Amino acid sequence: MKTLILGAGYSGLAVATKMKPAPGLEALMVEQNAYHTFETRLHEAAAHNTPVTLPLAPLLRGTGVNLEQAQVEGVNLDEREVTLKDGRVLTYDTLVVGLGSVTNFYRIPGLAENAAELKQLSDADEIFNFVNRAYTTEYQGNRDIVVGGAGLTGVELVTELAQRAQLLTKERGLPPFNIYLVEAGPKILPILDDALRAKAQKTLEEYGIHILVGHRLMQATADTVTVQTADGEQKVIGAGKIIWTGGIQARDIVKGEKLEKGPGGRIAVDDKLRAKGYPEVFVIGDMGLALNQEGKPVPTTAQHAGQQGRLTGKNIMRLAKGEELEAYEPTTLGEFVSLGGLMAVGWMKLPWNQKLAITGGIAHVMKRASEWRWRVSID
């Protein structure tokens, strides 16, 4: 059974590390980088140059999965072909699509051309290098930073940048730059309840971050953004660096006549995480539109991507042995937001569908524990 695993993000790597060599099973992972990136920690790399990658080769040892370092250009489900950027075409019996998502700029004029993203290591490097340049006496441009989108990524990024700015101000004697967090919706961190959100907002305000909720980003240039309030008032904010974290969409490289797509271009899957109409194709992580027990879309989070990947890896082994596949039953164990240093807020799941709210250092420890659980699961 010739199996291709596309992508080594949270979902794809979880698949590979749950596999073992088996008679008749030939498995190949296709990934453009030689490393796995902890995407949920890219904000730390952007602010502090924290290492957030792991080499893939040691992680794949003993799995029976070989690594092909290449970029996927397109996937034709009807022909069972995967085209690589270098022109090669791979075929498969079983396919796992875990290629993640791309930034959704919502066709906002000038945004895609002028805003940085935070989706991969090179994005974090770009932001880190700007902050360092802005704290040199030679830098003459605008030093302020505008971050669009006040979800998890945006909030975690601005707190780490504010902490970095405080440190550099002490070290180099230059004044801190302004950080603006722009959000079209009425509140930051909509995934949290009001009490946790209030604690998070208080932390941001203590850092001196300018929180602009109810402000829609209308346009971006190389050094400005135009925002508009609900009553139509517009203002222009100058910026040395614009960063957009306000939305994602599935990669649009998978084609098939029977393919069904939902919001954000996510591919509809059945309860075994197989693309509807293509039982030999598993679509997991940000690209797959899996449903929970209430029939609602499963969130595009790292913990759910990992769950889907682990199940799919086990199901591929079941396929190789001629066994029945196991259905996907998603569970959300909790959600934590780091707020710089040892501060975090969030909640963890308790029995009987209850939630325990946690803040401060304990929440920080819980967030780190979830990351270590992931690290252990792929070793």
Side-chain angles (χ1 to χ4, degrees):
M1 186 173 76
K2 190 175 182 180
T3 300
L4 295 181
I5 304 168
L6 307 184
Y10 288 105
S11 61
L13 185 56
V15 174
T17 53
K18 285 302 173 187
M19 293 175 63
K20 299 292 181 186
L25 178 58
E26 177 188 342
L28 181 69
M29 168 177 278
V30 182
E31 164 59 40
Q32 63 181 344
N33 300 309
Y35 53 82
H36 165 72
T37 302
F38 293 97
E39 284 193 36
T40 56
R41 297 188 64 186
L42 279 172
H43 58 283
E44 297 176 40
H48 310 292
N49 206 26
T50 305
V52 293
T53 62
L54 284 174
L56 287 171
L59 297 173
L60 297 178
R61 200 169 292 139
T63 64
V65 178
N66 294 312
L67 175 63
E68 179 68 38
Q69 193 175 338
Q71 187 172 344
V72 177
E73 186 81 3
V75 181
N76 186 324
L77 301 187
D78 297 318
E79 300 294 332
R80 294 197 184 190
E81 292 181 345
V82 174
T83 303
L84 306 182
K85 191 172 184 179
D86 61 16
R88 286 180 294 158
V89 176
L90 306 179
T91 59
Y92 61 85
D93 300 309
T94 304
L95 177 67
V96 180
V97 182
L99 291 169
S101 56
V102 295
T103 300
N104 189 344
F105 292 99
Y106 298 103
R107 299 181 181 178
I108 297 171
L111 191 59
E113 295 81 5
N114 296 294
E117 309 170 46
L118 194 57
K119 292 290 292 176
Q120 55 190 4
L121 190 59
S122 59
D123 299 329
D125 289 341
E126 177 186 340
I127 297 166
F128 178 79
N129 291 335
F130 168 79
V131 172
N132 279 347
R133 285 200 313 275
Y135 269 95
T136 61
T137 53
E138 294 82 12
Y139 185 80
Q140 299 297 316
N142 191 314
R143 301 168 67 242
D144 296 343
I145 295 177
V146 174
V147 176
L152 283 171
T153 303
V155 169
E156 291 186 326
L157 177 60
V158 295
T159 54
E160 295 290 349
L161 289 175
Q163 190 179 60
R164 176 71 173 162
Q166 289 178 353
L167 178 65
L168 290 175
T169 292
K170 290 179 182 178
E171 288 180 352
R172 305 183 186 182
L174 293 172
F177 45 65
N178 291 303
I179 301 175
Y180 297 89
L181 182 62
V182 179
E183 170 57 47
K187 54 194 176 186
I188 68 170
L189 297 171
I191 64 165
L192 296 183
D193 64 28
D194 290 341
L196 290 174
R197 185 182 305 109
K199 289 182 181 293
Q201 181 148 339
K202 183 172 183 291
T203 300
L204 267 62
E205 291 167 351
E206 289 171 350
Y207 275 122
I209 295 164
H210 304 278
I211 304 171
L212 304 178
V213 295
H215 286 68
R216 185 176 299 278
L217 203 155
M218 304 298 293
Q219 181 179 343
T221 68
D223 54 7
T224 67
V225 296
T226 301
V227 297
Q228 179 175 295
T229 61
D231 58 11
E233 179 186 353
Q234 290 194 357
K235 58 182 173 183
V236 178
I237 303 171
K241 176 62 71 176
I242 304 164
I243 307 165
W244 179 250
T245 68
I248 61 172
Q249 59 187 1
R251 293 182 184 274
D252 187 25
I253 61 174
V254 180
K255 307 299 181 185
E257 289 293 330
K258 297 172 285 185
L259 211 56
E260 298 178 27
K261 293 189 177 182
R266 297 169 71 186
I267 296 171
V269 297
D270 63 16
D271 64 344
K272 309 296 193 305
L273 301 176
R274 299 172 300 186
K276 292 183 177 179
Y278 299 91
E280 71 283 354
V281 179
F282 296 86
V283 184
I284 54 178
D286 289 358
M287 290 195 69
L289 182 60
L291 303 179
N292 64 16
Q293 291 84 343
E294 289 78 43
K296 297 179 181 178
V298 173
T300 53
T301 67
Q303 66 173 305
H304 292 103
Q307 290 172 16
Q308 293 170 19
R310 287 188 289 274
L311 174 68
T312 300
K314 293 175 182 176
N315 274 341
I316 289 174
M317 298 309 298
R318 291 186 179 97
L319 273 176
K321 298 173 184 176
E323 299 174 356
E324 288 293 317
L325 302 189
E326 184 180 331
Y328 175 53
E329 295 185 9
T331 180
T332 302
L333 302 176
E335 196 70 72
F336 291 91
V337 185
S338 65
L339 299 173
L342 301 178
M343 180 62 184
V345 299
W347 60 271
M348 63 178 293
K349 185 179 180 181
L350 295 176
W352 301 289
N353 210 27
Q354 298 298 305
K355 294 181 179 179
L356 175 64
I358 307 174
T359 62
I362 296 177
H364 172 79
V365 170
M366 294 301 296
K367 182 172 176 64
R368 281 288 182 262
S370 67
E371 292 164 357
W372 275 107
R373 278 197 303 272
W374 165 249
R375 176 71 180 268
V376 169
S377 75
I378 58 176
D379 277 343

